Amino acid sequence: MATEQIPTEAGAGVDRKTALSSSLRHRILTMQIAPGSVLDEIALSEEFGLSRPPVREAMRQLAGEGFIELEANRPARVTSMSYQSLRDFFLVAPLIYAATTRLAAETATKADIAGLREIQASFRQSVEGDDIDGRVFYNDQFHLRIGEVANNPYLLPSLRRLLIDHARIGKIFYRPANAQMQDNLEEACRQHDDIIDAIAHHDADRAEALVRAHLDLSRKNMAMYAAPEGMQVAIGV
Amino acid sequence: MATEQIPTEAGAGVDRKTALSSSLRHRILTMQIAPGSVLDEIALSEEFGLSRPPVREAMRQLAGEGFIELEANRPARVTSMSYQSLRDFFLVAPLIYAATTRLAAETATKADIAGLREIQASFRQSVEGDDIDGRVFYNDQFHLRIGEVANNPYLLPSLRRLLIDHARIGKIFYRPANAQMQDNLEEACRQHDDIIDAIAHHDADRAEALVRAHLDLSRKNMAMYAAPEGMQVAIGV
DNA sequence: CGCCTATCGATTGTAGACAGATTGCCGCTC
DNA sequence: GAGCGGCAATCTGTCTACAATCGATAGGCG
């Protein structure tokens, strides 16, 4: 267990607790830690040079965000996934994604657009390179940022929860399997660009349509067994 | 500080940490602790006979649920509310409430219906009596239970977040001010009954329409300054 | 031979005490 | 007299150590 790889994406050298949280989020999103796995408090405290209480605090927080599940007198486990999860996901995702994207299109500033383009640049780089975890991570960051631009505290919790499993579903299904999937990936990348454009032009209708198509692409990319049509949403603010 | 009043609604004598969480939730929902108030770790640890670490754990959890807000090296504060909050609330609430209610109508079992009726009985009792906190609390429980019946892990986080402010908005505006408001309150109570009926008959369309009307009633019950129309949702599963 | 039970080990939960940061106050200087 | 700087008190963040609970294994009984 000398593998001391600490991928603290934010590079928080001093704040080890933040590093712990970020690292765990990243590992869970990229399935370095599989759904259902147990998390050992002592191992984590040693890895990050902390004692157990702050580790436990971080656990509670991650549990609140939906990354892990806690049970009394039992070890923490990474939130599990099932076929039911997939069904639930594709039922709700269009609803939430469409709503956040619409709101983002209405309120985005130039700084917001710049931030989105920056993330998208990293995503495109991951797509062109062979960085699977990067794709998963920056796709997550992209949609999360849209949610932050939308800036509605009631919508964000569900978006965050969706994004966790969006990343994990992606990690499962977006393997470099065949040429068709590579095409789809590049299509997804173009859709990101188009979504940014629509948001930049405050075109909520187009942004919503694009994000729906974006989700449909994900859905079609995997076996159809778990994919209902999803809720339709028409927003008239 | 001999005031050892422990209003643990669940009466969890042994599990003091659960009692702490439940009590804080209840106090925040009923605005016994006002938005923006600071929470003193030491005072809470003394009140519930705990040391600070478990109190801090509970704080992290409550922060994840949206009840309080944490900042580094600063005291925990109850999540604040603003005019913007009200606007955001009525924009998103119809979307989430409609979706959860539809799903509940599709999946509810007889046991679920019985549970809803039980909560509704307590709500009606609070309405007929003069128990304002009871109204706030059981209305919260009613809609939360519908969310639990819907049983979609991606929808629940936002519903929970909405319900926090639904309760607090209710506490602000549903004072026993005038006869009109009393009428509205009784109307809301009848709507609850109707919603249960619609769910029991698996009539998703009717359930959705009812819950939208239910929210409109809330919206009309207060000054119109903060109330946009809200997003429309049409669900075709 | 199989099932139940009791004890042991390991892990979770908690307590009390210590370092680091922040805020408010007081005194000093201009 | 007003503004700035330093000091102290308080609170947050953390650590070490102890208690309680759970799971597994081994032994005994039917």
Side-chain angles (χ1 to χ4, degrees):
Chain A
M1 320 317 172
T3 59
E4 190 78 318
Q5 297 274 4
I6 306 180
T8 72
E9 74 244 20
V14 274
D15 194 342
R16 292 165 302 184
K17 193 160 69 174
T18 305
L20 166 63
S21 298
S22 300
S23 179
L24 279 182
R25 282 195 202 94
H26 193 271
R27 292 181 199 180
I28 292 172
L29 287 179
T30 59
M31 301 232 296
Q32 288 170 40
I33 312 178
S37 305
V38 302
L39 295 175
D40 184 6
E41 293 178 1
I42 297 174
L44 288 173
S45 64
E46 286 174 354
E47 178 179 353
F48 288 88
L50 287 162
S51 67
R52 283 178 50 234
V55 171
R56 289 170 60 82
E57 281 185 32
M59 300 282 230
R60 287 284 176 138
Q61 177 172 354
L62 291 175
E65 294 170 8
F67 286 90
I68 65 178
E69 289 169 340
L70 298 178
E71 218 172 340
N73 294 317
R74 252 168 210 79
R77 288 177 169 277
V78 175
T79 303
S80 57
M81 293 188 61
S82 65
Y83 303 120
Q84 181 64 35
S85 303
L86 274 180
R87 207 193 138 75
D88 290 344
F89 176 87
F90 281 102
L91 197 62
V92 173
L95 191 75
I96 304 292
Y97 281 46
T100 53
T101 306
R102 285 200 74 93
L103 287 177
E106 289 167 9
T107 65
T109 65
K110 288 189 175 164
D112 292 333
I113 303 298
L116 283 173
R117 286 202 198 282
E118 195 174 332
I119 294 171
Q120 168 64 358
S122 298
F123 179 67
R124 181 172 287 284
Q125 201 171 346
S126 308
V127 169
E128 290 170 355
D130 207 30
D131 182 3
I132 296 178
D133 283 0
R135 293 173 199 166
V136 170
F137 181 72
Y138 288 113
N139 186 66
D140 179 89
Q141 292 293 302
F142 180 76
H143 291 286
L144 180 58
R145 180 62 67 91
I146 291 178
E148 288 167 352
V149 171
N151 193 31
N152 188 307
Y154 307 103
L155 224 35
L156 267 173
S158 278
L159 179 65
R160 290 198 143 99
R161 184 66 190 78
L162 283 164
L163 283 173
I164 294 171
D165 286 351
H166 192 158
R168 302 198 292 182
I169 291 169
K171 177 78 179 184
I172 295 173
F173 289 94
Y174 294 174
R175 315 243 162 181
N178 56 44
Q180 174 65 34
M181 281 191 168
Q182 185 62 29
D183 285 351
N184 285 348
L185 192 56
E186 282 158 15
E187 170 71 14
C189 201
R190 281 192 298 276
Q191 285 176 331
H192 277 201
D193 288 325
D194 291 345
I195 290 170
I196 294 178
D197 282 343
I199 292 175
H201 288 87
H202 303 296
D203 187 343
D205 289 336
R206 179 147 174 273
E208 178 186 340
L210 283 166
V211 81
R212 285 185 182 281
H214 191 53
L215 272 170
D216 265 351
L217 189 65
S218 290
R219 192 161 58 82
K220 284 175 187 152
N221 222 16
M222 65 185 71
M224 295 294 118
Y225 60 87
E229 275 298 314
M231 299 184 179
Q232 292 169 13
V233 57
I235 301 165
V237 172
Chain B
M1 322 336 172
T3 58
E4 191 76 319
Q5 296 274 4
I6 306 182
T8 73
E9 75 241 21
V14 273
D15 194 344
R16 293 164 302 184
K17 193 159 69 173
T18 304
L20 166 63
S21 298
S22 301
S23 179
L24 279 182
R25 283 195 202 92
H26 192 272
R27 292 181 200 178
I28 292 171
L29 287 179
T30 58
M31 301 233 295
Q32 286 169 42
I33 312 179
S37 305
V38 302
L39 295 174
D40 185 5
E41 293 178 0
I42 297 173
L44 288 172
S45 65
E46 285 173 356
E47 178 179 353
F48 288 88
L50 286 163
S51 65
R52 284 179 50 232
V55 171
R56 288 171 61 83
E57 281 185 32
M59 300 281 229
R60 287 282 175 138
Q61 179 171 353
L62 291 174
E65 295 171 9
F67 286 90
I68 65 179
E69 290 170 339
L70 298 177
E71 217 173 340
N73 294 318
R74 253 171 207 76
R77 288 176 170 278
V78 176
T79 302
S80 56
M81 294 188 60
S82 65
Y83 303 122
Q84 181 65 34
S85 303
L86 275 180
R87 209 193 135 74
D88 290 342
F89 177 87
F90 281 103
L91 197 62
V92 172
L95 191 74
I96 304 292
Y97 281 46
T100 52
T101 307
R102 285 200 75 93
L103 287 178
E106 289 167 10
T107 65
T109 66
K110 287 187 176 163
D112 292 332
I113 304 298
L116 283 173
R117 286 202 199 283
E118 196 175 330
I119 294 170
Q120 168 64 358
S122 297
F123 179 68
R124 182 172 288 285
Q125 202 171 345
S126 307
V127 169
E128 289 169 356
D130 208 27
D131 182 4
I132 295 178
D133 282 0
R135 293 173 199 167
V136 170
F137 182 72
Y138 288 113
N139 185 66
D140 179 88
Q141 291 293 303
F142 180 77
H143 291 286
L144 180 58
R145 179 63 66 91
I146 290 179
E148 288 167 353
V149 170
N151 192 33
N152 188 307
Y154 306 103
L155 225 34
L156 267 173
S158 278
L159 179 65
R160 291 199 142 97
R161 184 64 190 81
L162 283 164
L163 283 173
I164 294 171
D165 286 351
H166 193 160
R168 301 199 292 182
I169 291 168
K171 179 76 179 184
I172 295 172
F173 289 93
Y174 295 172
R175 314 243 164 181
N178 56 43
Q180 174 65 34
M181 280 191 169
Q182 185 63 29
D183 285 351
N184 285 348
L185 192 56
E186 282 158 16
E187 170 71 13
C189 200
R190 281 193 298 275
Q191 286 176 329
H192 277 200
D193 288 325
D194 291 344
I195 289 170
I196 294 177
D197 282 343
I199 292 175
H201 288 87
H202 302 297
D203 187 343
D205 290 336
R206 180 149 173 272
E208 179 186 340
L210 284 166
V211 80
R212 285 184 182 281
H214 191 52
L215 271 171
D216 265 353
L217 189 66
S218 290
R219 193 162 57 82
K220 283 174 187 152
N221 223 15
M222 64 185 72
M224 294 293 121
Y225 60 88
E229 275 299 313
M231 299 183 177
Q232 292 169 15
V233 57
I235 302 166
V237 172

